[in-house]
Amino acid sequence: MPSRMAALLALALLSSFASAQVKLAATPPMGWNSWNWFAEKVTDKDVRQAADLLVSSGMRDAGYVYVNIDDAWQGTRDEAGNLHSNDKFPDMKALSDYVHSKGLKLGIYSSPGPKTCARFEGSLGHEEQDAQLYASWGIDYLKYDLCSFHNGVMRKEHPGDSPEAMHLQYKMMRDAYEKMHQALLKTGRPIVYSLCQYGFDSVWQWGPEVGANLWRTTGDITPTFDRISLIGREQAGLARYAAPGHWNDPDMLEVGNGKLTLDENHTHMGMWAMLAAPLLAGNNLSQLTPDIKAILTNREILAIDQDTLGKQADRIYAEGPIEIWARPLADGGSALAIFNFGEQRCYLRGISLHLEQAGAFRGWSARDVWAAKELGPIDDSTHFTIPRHGSVILRLSK
Ligand code: GLA
């Protein structure tokens, strides 16, 4: 009997461990990241201020809970190999306590290579030590960025572009990501694991195997509509790889950055929500305008992103600059987006909405999400006028 009891106990422990694992990133992670605005200049003070502003702006309560320090926090290693933060971050544990005291979580950044992309200290050869350090600080999220591991390690070890060399390079890359995965598991702390290797080797096909909760599918985003719309459109076909716990990451939000127009900001946010993308705001929260705040905190848009079914949208139709994307939702309905990537206003004349491909049928009704307006029954020929670089997002239900 005692052995049966022990087996039952082990089973109970295992299943509670498994469900704790599933709960990590059960919906796409939301928060703020320092890179898109502060880049290498980020300081402890900026991160504390971002935490304060997430709370005072209402963003935390809308779901933006991760405060992620990107590159440029690292100092040097001491003789024992322990990494220290640099002068801009005098006390990481104190910073972490501060962020946690606001009901938020703290994220950090490193690389499997010797150096990060901004040439700060990477984790190569110190994976376990770094993972333990993060856990001791109370870190909740790690972005692990390939950077110098690519040229400095993979390509050095297996030079050339032959299929054999590439195969071996990519094997090294996967092993490096698995190594940090194991190091994170060993800490016993739930830490969201974010892969950043720009989509190499179709990462969406193997990300979950190395413990990734999310993986970048592209190179870096910039605050221009050309770049944002290209990245968005390139996500076609990736929907099948997203699921609770494992998300495609088309990169952090540029909403509110650069010279994006209001329509472009709406389209960017709406597209990322349709894509079940992680939503990491990348703007300067101390300059949050009411328009940008309304876009970032629109509860109905966020509900699409965070839908518990976890099904990412895919493209169901394209005609020139017009694209229609759809995703099923947990309540049995669907979300449908019509994007106008073109340079002119579009009246959708002659363009069918393809409602059946969106999983919606005759007699279904639509709600215009950004307008917060019930449109009533809808059919394939319902007309919309969509401005240049604009979009319409509909929530469809029986
Ligand atoms: C890479 C990543 C960016 C950012 C920088 C930091 O370019 O893709 O998101 O983390 O490195 O150096």
Side-chain angles (χ1 to χ4, degrees), residues 235-261:
Q235 307 308 302
L238 299 188
R240 78 191 73 155
Y241 300 105
H246 312 286
W247 308 101
N248 290 303
D249 174 11
D251 206 356
M252 304 171 293
L253 293 171
E254 292 282 16
V255 172
N257 283 343
K259 295 197 168 77
L260 297 174
T261 65

Side-chain angles (χ1 to χ4, degrees), residues 69-229:
I69 310 168
D70 206 276
D71 210 347
W73 63 267
Q74 309 87 332
T76 50
R77 291 190 190 277
D78 62 24
E79 277 169 13
N82 295 314
L83 183 58
H84 296 269
S85 48
N86 60 37
D87 291 348
K88 297 186 290 121
F89 290 89
D91 186 342
M92 276 294 191
K93 181 68 172 71
L95 175 58
S96 170
D97 290 345
Y98 184 79
V99 167
H100 287 123
S101 77
K102 302 266 162 180
L104 296 162
K105 294 171 183 288
L106 187 65
I108 211 159
Y109 167 100
S110 189
S111 170
K115 295 283 174 208
T116 64
C117 291
R119 311 224 43 82
F120 287 81
E121 192 69 19
S123 291
L124 184 69
H126 297 275
E127 293 81 1
E128 277 201 14
Q129 210 170 7
D130 287 358
Q132 293 296 339
L133 178 69
Y134 306 149
S136 74
W137 286 340
I139 295 292
D140 306 294
Y141 185 117
L142 172 67
K143 173 174 169 184
Y144 207 43
D145 193 345
L146 192 67
C147 299
S148 67
F149 194 81
H150 184 242
N151 287 335
V153 183
M154 289 156 54
R155 291 175 69 82
K156 260 205 186 128
E157 191 88 5
H158 301 291
D161 293 328
S162 68
E164 296 75 28
M166 295 301 288
H167 177 77
L168 292 166
Q169 287 175 24
Y170 284 150
K171 169 137 191 356
M172 285 188 80
M173 177 175 68
R174 275 194 214 198
D175 290 348
Y177 277 105
E178 173 61 9
K179 193 169 201 176
M180 184 50 96
H181 170 220
Q182 291 304 326
L184 292 175
L185 283 181
K186 221 168 159 184
T187 67
R189 186 176 172 85
I191 297 178
V192 170
Y193 190 29
S194 158
L195 271 47
C196 179
Q197 42 78 288
Y198 340 113
F200 286 159
D201 198 26
S202 307
V203 60
W204 40 86
Q205 293 183 7
W206 51 269
E209 287 167 33
V210 297
N213 298 112
L214 59 153
W215 47 81
R216 278 270 296 276
T217 55
T218 73
D220 288 13
I221 198 167
T222 56
T224 60
F225 192 71
D226 278 357
R227 183 72 189 137
I228 290 165
S229 54

